[in-house]
Amino acid sequence: MVRGGGTPAVRSIADNAQLALLLEVSSTPKPGNVDREHEYADLRFEHFVTGAVGAREGLERAAEGGPVGAAFERAIAGMSRQSGGNTQFGAILLLTPLVVAAARTRAETGARTVTPEAAGEVVSETTVDDAVGFYRAFEHVSVAVDEPPEELAAPDVRRGAAAEPALREAGLTLEDVMADSAEIDGLAAEFVGGFERTFETARRIRDRDGPVTDRAARVFLELLAEEIDTFVVTQHDRETAREVKRRAAAALDGEETPEDLAAEFVDRGINPGTTADLIAGGFFVALERGLEV
Amino acid sequence: MVRGGGTPAVRSIADNAQLALLLEVSSTPKPGNVDREHEYADLRFEHFVTGAVGAREGLERAAEGGPVGAAFERAIAGMSRQSGGNTQFGAILLLTPLVVAAARTRAETGARTVTPEAAGEVVSETTVDDAVGFYRAFEHVSVAVDEPPEELAAPDVRRGAAAEPALREAGLTLEDVMADSAEIDGLAAEFVGGFERTFETARRIRDRDGPVTDRAARVFLELLAEEIDTFVVTQHDRETAREVKRRAAAALDGEETPEDLAAEFVDRGINPGTTADLIAGGFFVALERGLEV
């Protein structure tokens, strides 16, 4: 069809980041997570949709090139403007450096893409201010976190903005803070480890056929079967996380249905949030690399 | 919880317009429409989500005060960047003057609201340029429309941008064009009739209890039982539209379940789109008037 006047209707980088959040929660079934067919009584689909709209302004800041910490804090402040509580803290943490990387690549080369190298560079250039922004974000919403192990150098995230003097005194950048948790937190590991699983997720979503939300639900199960979800470790314990991994593998093998698994995990309040975050990050990368919806 | 630095995280007018599109399609069951639990093989939930993201830039133009025609065309161009086809043409047509009205009210009085009076004023001030923008929007996406009745003064919308000379020669504004179709098109009637059903929809969604998407699904049935859906007349015929009205009333009376009705209507390809548009418009008004999600 002939297009009317005006610029071509290409989605912006911020559009794709927001769309990634929406497609993640639209993908069903993702056992244990809120999706369009599964909810908890007090954490519902509409809260995630509203979170994705609220995050917009922060995502736009990231798409203007950052800085990572301020853009992230802004996105979390906006995301938290709904009554469900924490909906997309981890997903936005993963998206922010990817969005900044896409924006920089576009500004520098004109190309519309995002690469692990560019994302890694954004992380390695994070500052103490970015770390402060990250800590401040915890003031906007209640995030499930464990007691920090003794050996961590970074302040307890639950201190929020009050951690600023300690961060400044120790000269800790956001990369330092994430590196500190990489062994116990799958998202932090991704952040400082070149976003390997995120890009692999993007590749799988792009390469397959069928509705994109069906593809993502399948990839979710695969990711869950490949590594334990550290959010489940935090919420429950390592044994539960290992069971989740085993059960996801069983569902992939056809020994039980993903639908039954979803019903059971929601019932037991088992919510593999880190794996869902990887789906959101993977969607963003896939969209930037040309995934059609 | 203590809020961190930065401006308070209040949703913008464009945020609420976008959220209205997303909450509409999230509300289920809305018999015959795509919602988060019902899809057609080639028109799926993900297309509506992507349409709502694509519409963003046009909605932002409307939130900057318009003009209505250009903002609408932009939103439709963006909405159409997905493979499902027409997802939210009518909803965006209804939203655009409401968003412009909210923006003007805010600029003039500082108040955050939208009134039927302000929306009516926006419509009465539309120009020939706005009419041209409306016709151009039909170039971006295929919209189901009937053969125009002989007596219509306005050009056939299917002429798209080619209708411009005729519109200019006759001096037809967007209000004139809509008035011309008000008798056969429920959305045009709303546009030139003070948005009565839209504001009534907003009132009902706001006044009730429970998850907002459950409230909206109930209000959808009520609207469907109150007046025939003109999109069903266009898609099928008047007899089918009358049946839909009757069946919606029966579902409200408990004679059949909304879920069964949804399954049957999707099966028969009966898609009461105009009533869904009223839900989107109603959500926007309700959000601007303080609806909490």
Side-chain angles (χ1 to χ4, degrees), chain A residues 214-242:
Chain A
D214 290 351
R215 301 183 211 173
R218 181 79 186 174
V219 175
F220 176 86
L221 266 188
E222 294 170 2
L223 295 170
L224 208 55
E226 285 160 13
E227 283 191 32
I228 64 159
D229 187 289
T230 52
F231 194 77
V232 175
V233 178
T234 298
Q235 249 192 344
H236 299 269
D237 48 43
R238 192 155 290 270
E239 196 186 342
T240 308
R242 274 194 292 257

PDB file of all heavy atoms in Angstrom, chain A residues 214-242:
ATOM      1  N   ASP A 214       4.815 -17.585  21.178  1.00  0.00           N
ATOM      2  CA  ASP A 214       4.944 -19.042  21.337  1.00  0.00           C
ATOM      3  C   ASP A 214       6.423 -19.443  21.324  1.00  0.00           C
ATOM      4  O   ASP A 214       6.861 -20.284  22.106  1.00  0.00           O
ATOM      5  CB  ASP A 214       4.214 -19.786  20.202  1.00  0.00           C
ATOM      6  CG  ASP A 214       2.705 -19.652  20.305  1.00  0.00           C
ATOM      7  OD1 ASP A 214       2.211 -19.140  21.325  1.00  0.00           O
ATOM      8  OD2 ASP A 214       2.019 -20.053  19.346  1.00  0.00           O
ATOM      9  N   ARG A 215       7.164 -18.831  20.407  1.00  0.00           N
ATOM     10  CA  ARG A 215       8.609 -19.130  20.361  1.00  0.00           C
ATOM     11  C   ARG A 215       9.263 -18.812  21.704  1.00  0.00           C
ATOM     12  O   ARG A 215      10.057 -19.580  22.234  1.00  0.00           O
ATOM     13  CB  ARG A 215       9.297 -18.258  19.311  1.00  0.00           C
ATOM     14  CG  ARG A 215       8.777 -18.418  17.915  1.00  0.00           C
ATOM     15  CD  ARG A 215       9.610 -17.547  16.996  1.00  0.00           C
ATOM     16  NE  ARG A 215       8.851 -17.049  15.873  1.00  0.00           N
ATOM     17  CZ  ARG A 215       9.285 -16.167  14.980  1.00  0.00           C
ATOM     18  NH1 ARG A 215      10.512 -15.675  15.098  1.00  0.00           N
ATOM     19  NH2 ARG A 215       8.531 -15.775  13.991  1.00  0.00           N
ATOM     20  N   ALA A 216       8.927 -17.643  22.239  1.00  0.00           N
ATOM     21  CA  ALA A 216       9.571 -17.200  23.483  1.00  0.00           C
ATOM     22  C   ALA A 216       9.207 -18.102  24.658  1.00  0.00           C
ATOM     23  O   ALA A 216      10.039 -18.360  25.532  1.00  0.00           O
ATOM     24  CB  ALA A 216       9.194 -15.756  23.790  1.00  0.00           C
ATOM     25  N   ALA A 217       7.966 -18.594  24.673  1.00  0.00           N
ATOM     26  CA  ALA A 217       7.561 -19.483  25.764  1.00  0.00           C
ATOM     27  C   ALA A 217       8.393 -20.769  25.721  1.00  0.00           C
ATOM     28  O   ALA A 217       8.804 -21.305  26.756  1.00  0.00           O
ATOM     29  CB  ALA A 217       6.069 -19.794  25.666  1.00  0.00           C
ATOM     30  N   ARG A 218       8.643 -21.267  24.522  1.00  0.00           N
ATOM     31  CA  ARG A 218       9.469 -22.465  24.360  1.00  0.00           C
ATOM     32  C   ARG A 218      10.921 -22.189  24.809  1.00  0.00           C
ATOM     33  O   ARG A 218      11.524 -22.976  25.526  1.00  0.00           O
ATOM     34  CB  ARG A 218       9.438 -22.893  22.884  1.00  0.00           C
ATOM     35  CG  ARG A 218      10.229 -24.132  22.551  1.00  0.00           C
ATOM     36  CD  ARG A 218       9.488 -25.378  22.932  1.00  0.00           C
ATOM     37  NE  ARG A 218      10.290 -26.579  22.736  1.00  0.00           N
ATOM     38  CZ  ARG A 218       9.905 -27.781  23.098  1.00  0.00           C
ATOM     39  NH1 ARG A 218       8.748 -27.961  23.681  1.00  0.00           N
ATOM     40  NH2 ARG A 218      10.681 -28.828  22.897  1.00  0.00           N
ATOM     41  N   VAL A 219      11.456 -21.080  24.373  1.00  0.00           N
ATOM     42  CA  VAL A 219      12.832 -20.724  24.740  1.00  0.00           C
ATOM     43  C   VAL A 219      12.941 -20.541  26.260  1.00  0.00           C
ATOM     44  O   VAL A 219      13.943 -20.924  26.866  1.00  0.00           O
ATOM     45  CB  VAL A 219      13.290 -19.440  24.000  1.00  0.00           C
ATOM     46  CG1 VAL A 219      14.673 -19.003  24.475  1.00  0.00           C
ATOM     47  CG2 VAL A 219      13.302 -19.679  22.487  1.00  0.00           C
ATOM     48  N   PHE A 220      11.905 -20.007  26.864  1.00  0.00           N
ATOM     49  CA  PHE A 220      11.885 -19.852  28.324  1.00  0.00           C
ATOM     50  C   PHE A 220      12.104 -21.197  29.004  1.00  0.00           C
ATOM     51  O   PHE A 220      12.928 -21.328  29.913  1.00  0.00           O
ATOM     52  CB  PHE A 220      10.546 -19.239  28.761  1.00  0.00           C
ATOM     53  CG  PHE A 220      10.378 -19.130  30.253  1.00  0.00           C
ATOM     54  CD1 PHE A 220      10.864 -18.022  30.940  1.00  0.00           C
ATOM     55  CD2 PHE A 220       9.739 -20.131  30.973  1.00  0.00           C
ATOM     56  CE1 PHE A 220      10.710 -17.931  32.322  1.00  0.00           C
ATOM     57  CE2 PHE A 220       9.585 -20.038  32.351  1.00  0.00           C
ATOM     58  CZ  PHE A 220      10.076 -18.927  33.027  1.00  0.00           C
ATOM     59  N   LEU A 221      11.368 -22.203  28.556  1.00  0.00           N
ATOM     60  CA  LEU A 221      11.513 -23.552  29.134  1.00  0.00           C
ATOM     61  C   LEU A 221      12.933 -24.080  28.951  1.00  0.00           C
ATOM     62  O   LEU A 221      13.504 -24.700  29.855  1.00  0.00           O
ATOM     63  CB  LEU A 221      10.542 -24.517  28.465  1.00  0.00           C
ATOM     64  CG  LEU A 221       9.181 -24.755  29.101  1.00  0.00           C
ATOM     65  CD1 LEU A 221       8.483 -25.899  28.370  1.00  0.00           C
ATOM     66  CD2 LEU A 221       9.288 -25.073  30.592  1.00  0.00           C
ATOM     67  N   GLU A 222      13.491 -23.831  27.773  1.00  0.00           N
ATOM     68  CA  GLU A 222      14.858 -24.301  27.500  1.00  0.00           C
ATOM     69  C   GLU A 222      15.861 -23.637  28.452  1.00  0.00           C
ATOM     70  O   GLU A 222      16.716 -24.299  29.032  1.00  0.00           O
ATOM     71  CB  GLU A 222      15.236 -23.986  26.050  1.00  0.00           C
ATOM     72  CG  GLU A 222      14.411 -24.759  25.023  1.00  0.00           C
ATOM     73  CD  GLU A 222      14.615 -24.257  23.600  1.00  0.00           C
ATOM     74  OE1 GLU A 222      15.428 -23.329  23.390  1.00  0.00           O
ATOM     75  OE2 GLU A 222      13.960 -24.800  22.696  1.00  0.00           O
ATOM     76  N   LEU A 223      15.742 -22.322  28.597  1.00  0.00           N
ATOM     77  CA  LEU A 223      16.655 -21.596  29.491  1.00  0.00           C
ATOM     78  C   LEU A 223      16.534 -22.124  30.922  1.00  0.00           C
ATOM     79  O   LEU A 223      17.514 -22.298  31.641  1.00  0.00           O
ATOM     80  CB  LEU A 223      16.342 -20.095  29.479  1.00  0.00           C
ATOM     81  CG  LEU A 223      16.579 -19.359  28.158  1.00  0.00           C
ATOM     82  CD1 LEU A 223      15.997 -17.949  28.242  1.00  0.00           C
ATOM     83  CD2 LEU A 223      18.070 -19.301  27.828  1.00  0.00           C
ATOM     84  N   LEU A 224      15.289 -22.382  31.310  1.00  0.00           N
ATOM     85  CA  LEU A 224      15.009 -22.850  32.666  1.00  0.00           C
ATOM     86  C   LEU A 224      15.629 -24.227  32.899  1.00  0.00           C
ATOM     87  O   LEU A 224      16.071 -24.547  34.000  1.00  0.00           O
ATOM     88  CB  LEU A 224      13.487 -22.914  32.844  1.00  0.00           C
ATOM     89  CG  LEU A 224      12.897 -22.738  34.235  1.00  0.00           C
ATOM     90  CD1 LEU A 224      13.368 -21.449  34.861  1.00  0.00           C
ATOM     91  CD2 LEU A 224      11.364 -22.755  34.152  1.00  0.00           C
ATOM     92  N   ALA A 225      15.650 -25.046  31.835  1.00  0.00           N
ATOM     93  CA  ALA A 225      16.202 -26.392  31.936  1.00  0.00           C
ATOM     94  C   ALA A 225      17.728 -26.387  31.878  1.00  0.00           C
ATOM     95  O   ALA A 225      18.378 -27.358  32.251  1.00  0.00           O
ATOM     96  CB  ALA A 225      15.642 -27.274  30.817  1.00  0.00           C
ATOM     97  N   GLU A 226      18.289 -25.262  31.407  1.00  0.00           N
ATOM     98  CA  GLU A 226      19.745 -25.208  31.225  1.00  0.00           C
ATOM     99  C   GLU A 226      20.508 -24.726  32.455  1.00  0.00           C
ATOM    100  O   GLU A 226      21.618 -25.171  32.731  1.00  0.00           O
ATOM    101  CB  GLU A 226      20.077 -24.318  30.015  1.00  0.00           C
ATOM    102  CG  GLU A 226      19.794 -24.999  28.676  1.00  0.00           C
ATOM    103  CD  GLU A 226      19.657 -24.028  27.513  1.00  0.00           C
ATOM    104  OE1 GLU A 226      20.011 -22.846  27.664  1.00  0.00           O
ATOM    105  OE2 GLU A 226      19.172 -24.441  26.456  1.00  0.00           O
ATOM    106  N   GLU A 227      19.925 -23.764  33.155  1.00  0.00           N
ATOM    107  CA  GLU A 227      20.616 -23.225  34.347  1.00  0.00           C
ATOM    108  C   GLU A 227      19.605 -22.935  35.440  1.00  0.00           C
ATOM    109  O   GLU A 227      18.476 -22.549  35.155  1.00  0.00           O
ATOM    110  CB  GLU A 227      21.372 -21.929  33.986  1.00  0.00           C
ATOM    111  CG  GLU A 227      22.660 -22.206  33.243  1.00  0.00           C
ATOM    112  CD  GLU A 227      23.544 -20.961  33.125  1.00  0.00           C
ATOM    113  OE1 GLU A 227      23.518 -20.104  34.034  1.00  0.00           O
ATOM    114  OE2 GLU A 227      24.244 -20.864  32.101  1.00  0.00           O
ATOM    115  N   ILE A 228      20.027 -23.027  36.691  1.00  0.00           N
ATOM    116  CA  ILE A 228      19.086 -22.721  37.771  1.00  0.00           C
ATOM    117  C   ILE A 228      18.787 -21.232  37.769  1.00  0.00           C
ATOM    118  O   ILE A 228      19.625 -20.402  37.415  1.00  0.00           O
ATOM    119  CB  ILE A 228      19.589 -23.164  39.167  1.00  0.00           C
ATOM    120  CG1 ILE A 228      20.838 -22.393  39.568  1.00  0.00           C
ATOM    121  CG2 ILE A 228      19.797 -24.657  39.241  1.00  0.00           C
ATOM    122  CD1 ILE A 228      21.047 -22.414  41.070  1.00  0.00           C
ATOM    123  N   ASP A 229      17.556 -20.902  38.145  1.00  0.00           N
ATOM    124  CA  ASP A 229      17.109 -19.516  38.191  1.00  0.00           C
ATOM    125  C   ASP A 229      17.454 -18.952  39.575  1.00  0.00           C
ATOM    126  O   ASP A 229      16.929 -19.415  40.593  1.00  0.00           O
ATOM    127  CB  ASP A 229      15.599 -19.455  37.923  1.00  0.00           C
ATOM    128  CG  ASP A 229      15.101 -18.033  37.798  1.00  0.00           C
ATOM    129  OD1 ASP A 229      15.053 -17.317  38.819  1.00  0.00           O
ATOM    130  OD2 ASP A 229      14.761 -17.625  36.678  1.00  0.00           O
ATOM    131  N   THR A 230      18.322 -17.944  39.594  1.00  0.00           N
ATOM    132  CA  THR A 230      18.794 -17.444  40.895  1.00  0.00           C
ATOM    133  C   THR A 230      17.705 -16.681  41.656  1.00  0.00           C
ATOM    134  O   THR A 230      17.789 -16.538  42.865  1.00  0.00           O
ATOM    135  CB  THR A 230      20.036 -16.538  40.733  1.00  0.00           C
ATOM    136  OG1 THR A 230      19.755 -15.525  39.772  1.00  0.00           O
ATOM    137  CG2 THR A 230      21.232 -17.362  40.284  1.00  0.00           C
ATOM    138  N   PHE A 231      16.687 -16.200  40.945  1.00  0.00           N
ATOM    139  CA  PHE A 231      15.589 -15.548  41.653  1.00  0.00           C
ATOM    140  C   PHE A 231      14.802 -16.568  42.480  1.00  0.00           C
ATOM    141  O   PHE A 231      14.334 -16.270  43.575  1.00  0.00           O
ATOM    142  CB  PHE A 231      14.656 -14.818  40.672  1.00  0.00           C
ATOM    143  CG  PHE A 231      13.701 -13.866  41.335  1.00  0.00           C
ATOM    144  CD1 PHE A 231      14.126 -12.625  41.789  1.00  0.00           C
ATOM    145  CD2 PHE A 231      12.365 -14.211  41.525  1.00  0.00           C
ATOM    146  CE1 PHE A 231      13.246 -11.744  42.409  1.00  0.00           C
ATOM    147  CE2 PHE A 231      11.477 -13.341  42.156  1.00  0.00           C
ATOM    148  CZ  PHE A 231      11.920 -12.101  42.591  1.00  0.00           C
ATOM    149  N   VAL A 232      14.704 -17.787  41.970  1.00  0.00           N
ATOM    150  CA  VAL A 232      14.044 -18.858  42.726  1.00  0.00           C
ATOM    151  C   VAL A 232      14.889 -19.215  43.960  1.00  0.00           C
ATOM    152  O   VAL A 232      14.345 -19.489  45.033  1.00  0.00           O
ATOM    153  CB  VAL A 232      13.789 -20.101  41.844  1.00  0.00           C
ATOM    154  CG1 VAL A 232      13.222 -21.254  42.664  1.00  0.00           C
ATOM    155  CG2 VAL A 232      12.841 -19.748  40.692  1.00  0.00           C
ATOM    156  N   VAL A 233      16.209 -19.172  43.806  1.00  0.00           N
ATOM    157  CA  VAL A 233      17.077 -19.420  44.962  1.00  0.00           C
ATOM    158  C   VAL A 233      16.800 -18.372  46.034  1.00  0.00           C
ATOM    159  O   VAL A 233      16.655 -18.693  47.223  1.00  0.00           O
ATOM    160  CB  VAL A 233      18.575 -19.378  44.558  1.00  0.00           C
ATOM    161  CG1 VAL A 233      19.454 -19.578  45.793  1.00  0.00           C
ATOM    162  CG2 VAL A 233      18.883 -20.419  43.485  1.00  0.00           C
ATOM    163  N   THR A 234      16.695 -17.114  45.635  1.00  0.00           N
ATOM    164  CA  THR A 234      16.438 -16.031  46.587  1.00  0.00           C
ATOM    165  C   THR A 234      15.069 -16.175  47.233  1.00  0.00           C
ATOM    166  O   THR A 234      14.914 -16.038  48.447  1.00  0.00           O
ATOM    167  CB  THR A 234      16.516 -14.669  45.853  1.00  0.00           C
ATOM    168  OG1 THR A 234      17.826 -14.512  45.336  1.00  0.00           O
ATOM    169  CG2 THR A 234      16.191 -13.512  46.783  1.00  0.00           C
ATOM    170  N   GLN A 235      14.062 -16.446  46.391  1.00  0.00           N
ATOM    171  CA  GLN A 235      12.679 -16.526  46.866  1.00  0.00           C
ATOM    172  C   GLN A 235      12.442 -17.760  47.719  1.00  0.00           C
ATOM    173  O   GLN A 235      11.668 -17.737  48.665  1.00  0.00           O
ATOM    174  CB  GLN A 235      11.766 -16.644  45.646  1.00  0.00           C
ATOM    175  CG  GLN A 235      10.907 -15.473  45.370  1.00  0.00           C
ATOM    176  CD  GLN A 235       9.862 -15.861  44.323  1.00  0.00           C
ATOM    177  OE1 GLN A 235       9.977 -16.874  43.628  1.00  0.00           O
ATOM    178  NE2 GLN A 235       8.841 -15.041  44.210  1.00  0.00           N
ATOM    179  N   HIS A 236      13.069 -18.864  47.339  1.00  0.00           N
ATOM    180  CA  HIS A 236      12.871 -20.138  48.041  1.00  0.00           C
ATOM    181  C   HIS A 236      14.235 -20.633  48.523  1.00  0.00           C
ATOM    182  O   HIS A 236      14.764 -20.129  49.488  1.00  0.00           O
ATOM    183  CB  HIS A 236      12.180 -21.151  47.125  1.00  0.00           C
ATOM    184  CG  HIS A 236      10.833 -20.692  46.676  1.00  0.00           C
ATOM    185  ND1 HIS A 236       9.679 -20.982  47.340  1.00  0.00           N
ATOM    186  CD2 HIS A 236      10.458 -19.909  45.623  1.00  0.00           C
ATOM    187  CE1 HIS A 236       8.638 -20.417  46.733  1.00  0.00           C
ATOM    188  NE2 HIS A 236       9.095 -19.762  45.685  1.00  0.00           N
ATOM    189  N   ASP A 237      14.831 -21.550  47.795  1.00  0.00           N
ATOM    190  CA  ASP A 237      16.155 -22.052  48.154  1.00  0.00           C
ATOM    191  C   ASP A 237      16.744 -22.776  46.956  1.00  0.00           C
ATOM    192  O   ASP A 237      16.087 -22.933  45.929  1.00  0.00           O
ATOM    193  CB  ASP A 237      16.072 -22.997  49.365  1.00  0.00           C
ATOM    194  CG  ASP A 237      14.961 -24.022  49.186  1.00  0.00           C
ATOM    195  OD1 ASP A 237      14.824 -24.569  48.053  1.00  0.00           O
ATOM    196  OD2 ASP A 237      14.205 -24.271  50.140  1.00  0.00           O
ATOM    197  N   ARG A 238      17.968 -23.212  47.117  1.00  0.00           N
ATOM    198  CA  ARG A 238      18.673 -23.843  46.001  1.00  0.00           C
ATOM    199  C   ARG A 238      18.022 -25.162  45.582  1.00  0.00           C
ATOM    200  O   ARG A 238      17.970 -25.495  44.396  1.00  0.00           O
ATOM    201  CB  ARG A 238      20.151 -24.051  46.397  1.00  0.00           C
ATOM    202  CG  ARG A 238      21.075 -24.422  45.245  1.00  0.00           C
ATOM    203  CD  ARG A 238      22.518 -24.034  45.520  1.00  0.00           C
ATOM    204  NE  ARG A 238      22.709 -22.590  45.494  1.00  0.00           N
ATOM    205  CZ  ARG A 238      23.031 -21.899  44.394  1.00  0.00           C
ATOM    206  NH1 ARG A 238      23.206 -22.510  43.239  1.00  0.00           N
ATOM    207  NH2 ARG A 238      23.177 -20.600  44.454  1.00  0.00           N
ATOM    208  N   GLU A 239      17.476 -25.852  46.551  1.00  0.00           N
ATOM    209  CA  GLU A 239      16.837 -27.140  46.245  1.00  0.00           C
ATOM    210  C   GLU A 239      15.625 -26.928  45.327  1.00  0.00           C
ATOM    211  O   GLU A 239      15.435 -27.653  44.349  1.00  0.00           O
ATOM    212  CB  GLU A 239      16.400 -27.815  47.554  1.00  0.00           C
ATOM    213  CG  GLU A 239      16.089 -29.288  47.402  1.00  0.00           C
ATOM    214  CD  GLU A 239      15.527 -29.845  48.707  1.00  0.00           C
ATOM    215  OE1 GLU A 239      15.701 -29.207  49.765  1.00  0.00           O
ATOM    216  OE2 GLU A 239      14.910 -30.927  48.656  1.00  0.00           O
ATOM    217  N   THR A 240      14.825 -25.904  45.647  1.00  0.00           N
ATOM    218  CA  THR A 240      13.657 -25.595  44.811  1.00  0.00           C
ATOM    219  C   THR A 240      14.113 -25.198  43.407  1.00  0.00           C
ATOM    220  O   THR A 240      13.522 -25.620  42.403  1.00  0.00           O
ATOM    221  CB  THR A 240      12.830 -24.458  45.439  1.00  0.00           C
ATOM    222  OG1 THR A 240      12.546 -24.793  46.794  1.00  0.00           O
ATOM    223  CG2 THR A 240      11.538 -24.233  44.680  1.00  0.00           C
ATOM    224  N   ALA A 241      15.170 -24.411  43.344  1.00  0.00           N
ATOM    225  CA  ALA A 241      15.676 -23.969  42.036  1.00  0.00           C
ATOM    226  C   ALA A 241      16.142 -25.160  41.203  1.00  0.00           C
ATOM    227  O   ALA A 241      15.947 -25.201  39.981  1.00  0.00           O
ATOM    228  CB  ALA A 241      16.813 -22.965  42.224  1.00  0.00           C
ATOM    229  N   ARG A 242      16.740 -26.139  41.889  1.00  0.00           N
ATOM    230  CA  ARG A 242      17.179 -27.348  41.160  1.00  0.00           C
ATOM    231  C   ARG A 242      15.986 -28.161  40.683  1.00  0.00           C
ATOM    232  O   ARG A 242      15.987 -28.720  39.587  1.00  0.00           O
ATOM    233  CB  ARG A 242      18.100 -28.201  42.051  1.00  0.00           C
ATOM    234  CG  ARG A 242      19.553 -27.747  41.956  1.00  0.00           C
ATOM    235  CD  ARG A 242      20.504 -28.786  42.559  1.00  0.00           C
ATOM    236  NE  ARG A 242      20.330 -28.882  44.006  1.00  0.00           N
ATOM    237  CZ  ARG A 242      21.162 -28.344  44.914  1.00  0.00           C
ATOM    238  NH1 ARG A 242      22.236 -27.689  44.518  1.00  0.00           N
ATOM    239  NH2 ARG A 242      20.929 -28.473  46.184  1.00  0.00           N
TER     240      ARG A 242
END
